[in-house]
Amino acid sequence: MSLIFPRQYDKRTHRALDGLPASSGAAWPYEAKEMWNDRDTEANAAQGELRIILNAFINSVERLEEVLEHETILLKQHKPIALYDFNHKKSHGLLEFSRAMIALRALDPAAADSTANAPLIRLRSKLNENLTILQTHLEAVGAVAASIARAIQEHDSDGTYSQSINTNGRQR
């Protein structure tokens, strides 16, 4: 517990000599109120910092969701896409997401767990949808590659000395 000492004031300007504003009434109640306000200010600053980090976390999740949605839509519509660009955007989003999550957990682990659940559930569902469509496309590419390999094999030889290729494009 710290002791509160009476403040000294400049009689001409009515300002406290310690740099804090002068009270309008008695010094003792003002001193106690001023100390309480300092604690409130620190709490408000911590809450403000938590809000900033929480907003950064939510924004990073939303950006990742947008990239995943855009890629999934293009894949479902069978439109050509630049997978390298999407991979770069997802990698950048994951870096931003992990930094925001680390900062959120470092500041307030309880808030990180409680407030991060809903955005993470949404992100997981979009990731699962994206994963499903990407797996479908990869399986289709594998089937096409196996058909091409089989056609080349049948055209080039009579099959006497070659290994056969299964439907996944792998040798048996």
Side-chain angles (χ1 to χ4, degrees):
M1 180 174 169
S2 61
L3 297 175
I4 302 174
F5 295 101
R7 296 175 69 185
Q8 296 180 359
Y9 297 98
D10 183 350
K11 293 183 185 202
R12 189 177 53 84
T13 62
H14 298 289
R15 291 189 182 211
L17 296 176
D18 58 5
L20 300 173
S23 67
S24 58
W28 289 104
Y30 183 78
E31 295 284 336
K33 182 180 176 190
E34 187 174 284
M35 285 180 52
W36 180 258
N37 286 340
D38 287 344
R39 287 186 196 132
D40 286 346
T41 303
E42 290 171 7
N44 288 340
Q47 286 295 329
E49 188 177 359
L50 179 62
R51 264 181 272 153
I52 289 169
I53 291 173
L54 185 59
N55 285 338
F57 170 76
I58 291 172
N59 290 339
S60 69
V61 170
E62 288 174 352
R63 280 190 284 277
L64 272 172
E65 288 175 343
E66 288 174 12
V67 170
L68 290 169
E69 286 175 357
H70 187 65
E71 182 183 34
T72 303
I73 288 169
L74 290 177
L75 288 169
K76 283 182 177 179
Q77 294 174 350
H78 304 292
K79 293 187 177 182
I81 63 171
L83 290 175
Y84 176 80
D85 292 340
F86 278 103
N87 188 36
H88 178 73
K89 288 176 184 177
K90 288 189 284 187
S91 296
H92 182 76
L94 183 60
L95 175 65
E96 182 182 359
F97 167 79
S98 63
R99 286 179 177 169
M101 191 66 185
I102 289 168
L104 186 60
R105 280 201 173 133
L107 191 61
D108 189 359
D113 292 338
S114 64
T115 57
N117 282 341
L120 290 178
I121 290 170
R122 279 194 331 264
L123 180 62
R124 178 173 284 173
S125 71
K126 293 187 190 220
L127 281 168
N128 287 334
E129 182 182 8
N130 186 263
L131 176 65
T132 302
I133 195 79
L134 281 173
Q135 284 176 335
T136 303
H137 278 263
L138 285 174
E139 289 170 2
V141 167
V144 169
S147 297
I148 292 171
R150 198 175 315 106
I152 291 171
Q153 183 181 20
E154 290 172 0
H155 179 70
D156 285 347
S157 72
D158 62 0
T160 306
Y161 299 108
S162 63
Q163 295 179 350
S164 62
I165 298 177
N166 67 14
T167 58
N168 292 334
R170 297 182 183 152
Q171 295 181 347
R172 290 191 242 180

